[in-house]
Amino acid sequence: MRSDRITKGVNAAPQRSLLHALGLSEEEIGHKPLIGVVSSANEIVPGHMNIDKVVEAVKMGVAMAGGVPIVFPAIAVCDGIAMGHEGMKYSLVTRELICDSTEAMATAHPFDGLVMVPNCDKNVPGLLMAAARINIPTIFVSGGPMLAGHMHGKKIGFSSISEAVGEFRSGKITADDLVEYENKTCPTCGSCSGMFTANSMNCLTEVLGMGLPGNGTIPAVYSDRLRLAKRAGMRIVELVKEDLKPRDIMKEESFLNALTIDMALGCSTNSMLHLPAIAHECGITLDLDLANSISEKTPNLCHLAPAGDHYIEDLNEAGGIPAVMHEIDKLGLLHTDLMTVTGKTIAENIKGHEILDTDVIRPVTDPYSKTGGIAVLKGNLAPDGCVVKRSAVAPEMMAHTGKARVFDCEEDALSAIYDGKINAGEVVIIRYEGPKGGPGMREMLNPTSAIMGCGLGNSVALITDGRFSGATRGAAIGHVSPEAAVGGNIALIEEGDMVEIDIPANKINVLVSDEELAKRRSAWKPRQPRITTGYLARYAKQVTSGSTGAILE
């Protein structure tokens, strides 16, 4: 076993003495597999406050199966708490910190297997990247999604309170209404209740074959989540015996499956950043041009919040990810012969999992749309592409031409929206918020929520080289590449330019001649970095384009 180097032989006596200092017994050292349990528990992220319970269940499962569980930590940022201020610059960048620190811990202390216990936005992809990089037997079990809130007989989620701020500022609701939203939106622990980034990635972990069925949808407060954690703990000991590793599971076809189910579910646009980054760690290049070709043949079966009124708890009751995969497989769109952490193939895992509620998961014969929930757009505004959650765009905004209103940071755009300076039909441009320019590629939930809350969601588009929360809805187009900080054409747009968006045709253009763009480029000068010290300064120097997953070089 991998741990033999610190548990067996004369030369390992110093290491064994330190393991004895941990309280490990002779029976544990050198006779049982050492299983690292990567705990993302902390007391500031609601999606992680219950992970200590999940970790304890994992440890029990490992011990029941004959392994020795040893816990070490991973950090996590709550995007909702970090939203709208400098803290959001530190959200995406933690993905690499999580991956690197987990690699360091798991290599310095040679575990035989790992159980990853993540939940929120960058924590899940960061640990999936680490699993691929370390490549020892690994299984995932997340902390689980939050239950939806309830207000006036209707389910609500984090996007509801975000939009309520704009509704209050525009006089549509009272201060008492806003307080009621505030108190009822997030009623339990867990990752926020809609198909936002955390839940998107936890669901796609199932699709990739790295989590047991139910990983993405069993609510955090259900006892079934603890039973799932025990099963994951037991299963890792078997994975060690079988020597089944992440790169044996996450093949190129696995990522094609993930893109396919991404389209069927209508996941967060952030999945278009994270899937390429995880694939990169597997030695696979995931070209996002594939997204549109997959979308063309993949029906969108779910309208989960913010695209609709259903939540992850509803998806769970409707059959969860196995039911979605089983339904999509009727079209022959999945590679089902791939191995998973269950020790079975995808075909075996999804067999017999029929839809239990066709309001939540529509059959392929009656989809919400015949094409997938995410689209990649290209044109002179984004030569390397940009991303939109098509399933959350109003029909009247699928094709739109409007006058550009240009802002060089999120704060200026938000002020203009709240001050009533944005008019119906216009296109808000927020630039210099990309991976390098931000730095950190902030999410623009506050501006998009303000647009929706002010009643402009059906008439105003927002385009950015930053990104969006999974809670964003509307004609919100992000990840514009190349970004403004490196001289992308988004840096050349001027106030009043006409911008043309055609989502069905996958096109986005600023209606300015090539000659005029060339003239503007000759006069353009790079901006001085906003941050010149610390981790963000180092990150800005190393990070690549959003079109390649914002990986580090």
Side-chain angles (χ1 to χ4, degrees):
M1 290 191 294
R2 193 167 180 262
S3 61
D4 286 353
R5 67 194 73 175
I6 61 168
T7 62
K8 292 184 177 179
V10 173
N11 290 344
Q15 285 93 338
R16 286 197 298 273
S17 71
L18 292 167
L19 295 176
H20 286 309
L22 292 172
L24 296 183
S25 67
E26 298 281 358
E27 291 79 9
E28 292 171 305
I29 300 173
H31 300 286
K32 297 182 177 182
L34 300 185
I35 305 299
V37 182
V38 187
S39 171
S40 304
N42 64 49
E43 295 183 352
I44 187 61
V45 184
H48 292 236
M49 62 181 285
N50 66 311
I51 281 180
D52 57 343
K53 308 290 192 302
V54 177
V55 166
E56 287 303 312
V58 167
K59 289 173 64 179
M60 185 174 293
V62 170
M64 287 166 60
V68 180
I70 301 174
V71 178
F72 66 89
I75 64 168
V77 164
C78 177
D79 278 19
I81 294 175
M83 195 72 66
H85 57 91
E86 189 178 29
M88 179 47 69
K89 294 179 185 290
Y90 285 87
S91 171
L92 179 61
V93 306
T94 64
R95 188 184 70 183
E96 271 59 37
L97 283 176
I98 291 162
C99 178
D100 291 349
S101 60
T102 303
E103 174 199 0
M105 286 294 290
T107 305
H109 315 96
F111 295 103
D112 298 302
L114 296 170
V115 182
M116 306 290 199
V117 191
N119 211 23
C120 288
D121 293 24
K122 309 312 156 308
N123 195 242
V124 182
L127 289 180
L128 281 166
M129 290 163 66
R133 186 184 297 177
I134 301 163
N135 201 36
I136 64 174
T138 303
I139 192 169
F140 278 67
V141 56
S142 75
M146 184 184 291
L147 295 180
H150 291 264
M151 186 169 166
H152 304 160
K154 181 182 178 181
K155 288 183 178 181
I156 57 174
F158 191 71
S159 54
S160 307
I161 180 62
S162 299
E163 293 177 16
V165 173
E167 292 173 355
F168 170 70
R169 285 179 173 274
S170 61
K172 295 183 178 181
I173 62 172
T174 67
D176 288 343
D177 291 330
L178 183 62
V179 170
E180 188 174 5
Y181 271 111
E182 182 180 329
N183 288 324
K184 292 181 177 179
T185 292
C186 299
T188 73
C189 61
S191 48
C192 292
S193 53
M195 188 52 81
F196 310 145
T197 305
N199 294 325
S200 295
M201 293 310 302
N202 281 321
C203 288
L204 294 181
T205 298
E206 273 191 61
V207 181
L208 287 169
M210 291 298 295
L212 297 176
N215 176 72
T217 60
I218 297 171
V221 295
Y222 282 15
S223 296
D224 198 23
R225 173 63 53 179
L226 300 180
R227 292 194 290 272
L228 182 74
K230 290 178 184 177
R231 290 195 295 272
M234 290 186 281
R235 181 61 193 145
I236 188 59
V237 178
E238 296 303 312
L239 285 170
V240 170
K241 293 176 182 176
E242 296 163 11
D243 198 29
L244 185 61
K245 301 182 181 74
R247 289 188 214 166
D248 299 327
I249 292 168
M250 290 192 285
K251 303 288 190 180
E252 182 175 357
E253 294 83 2
S254 307
F255 289 96
L256 299 180
N257 284 347
L259 283 173
T260 299
I261 299 303
D262 193 335
M263 297 300 169
L265 291 171
C267 290
S268 164
T269 51
N270 282 314
S271 63
M272 296 292 105
L273 279 176
H274 299 321
L275 288 175
I278 300 162
H280 175 74
E281 294 293 344
C282 293
I284 298 165
T285 299
L286 191 63
D287 186 346
L288 284 186
D289 284 342
L290 289 168
N292 288 337
S293 61
I294 289 174
S295 178
E296 287 173 6
K297 55 189 177 184
T298 306
N300 178 224
L301 305 185
C302 301
H303 264 193
L304 298 153
D309 296 326
H310 298 134
Y311 289 81
I312 301 297
E313 63 195 69
D314 302 311
L315 178 61
N316 188 61
E317 296 301 320
I321 300 306
V324 175
M325 294 182 74
H326 181 268
E327 187 65 18
I328 287 294
D329 190 46
K330 292 178 180 178
L331 300 176
L333 298 179
L334 296 178
H335 301 271
T336 60
D337 58 343
L338 301 171
M339 185 55 64
T340 72
V341 291
T342 66
K344 299 177 181 178
T345 64
I346 289 173
E348 292 173 302
N349 286 344
I350 66 176
K351 184 179 180 180
H353 284 272
E354 301 289 344
I355 299 171
L356 303 179
D357 186 341
T358 54
D359 286 337
V360 179
I361 306 172
R362 288 195 176 182
V364 293
T365 55
D366 183 30
Y368 280 100
S369 66
K370 294 181 179 180
T371 53
I374 290 178
V376 175
L377 314 182
K378 286 190 174 183
N380 70 353
L381 199 156
D384 293 341
C386 55
V387 181
V388 62
K389 188 170 184 174
R390 173 165 42 193
S391 59
V393 178
E396 55 268 37
M397 291 299 290
M398 295 296 281
H400 178 76
T401 301
K403 182 173 68 174
R405 302 296 309 280
V406 183
F407 304 92
D408 286 350
C409 68
E410 174 190 5
E411 290 82 357
D412 289 350
L414 190 62
S415 295
I417 297 166
Y418 283 147
D419 290 345
K421 296 178 180 178
I422 303 300
N423 305 303
E426 294 178 337
V427 177
V428 175
I429 306 288
I430 304 178
R431 61 191 181 188
Y432 294 101
E433 291 284 8
K436 286 184 179 293
M441 205 177 186
R442 286 195 288 180
E443 289 184 343
M444 302 291 149
L445 177 60
N446 286 353
T448 56
S449 296
I451 287 170
M452 298 302 296
C454 292
L456 296 171
N458 294 340
S459 61
V460 170
L462 192 153
I463 300 171
T464 181
D465 53 8
R467 59 194 180 90
F468 295 109
S469 166
T472 286
R473 64 190 179 107
I477 300 165
H479 309 192
V480 169
S481 301
E483 62 174 291
V486 298
N489 285 348
I490 189 172
L492 309 179
I493 297 176
E494 296 180 355
E495 188 85 5
D497 286 347
M498 298 303 290
V499 175
E500 183 179 55
I501 302 163
D502 190 338
I503 296 174
N506 305 119
K507 293 181 179 180
I508 185 166
N509 289 288
V510 55
L511 301 182
V512 174
S513 69
D514 292 343
E515 292 76 14
E516 175 62 20
L517 286 176
K519 179 181 176 182
R520 294 179 187 180
R521 180 171 300 285
S522 65
W524 178 82
K525 295 180 180 179
R527 293 168 56 110
Q528 290 298 312
R530 284 174 170 153
I531 295 176
T532 58
T533 61
Y535 177 52
L536 284 179
R538 297 196 303 275
Y539 179 88
K541 291 177 181 177
Q542 293 181 286
V543 71
T544 61
S545 169
S547 63
T548 57
I551 59 174
L552 300 186
E553 290 182 334

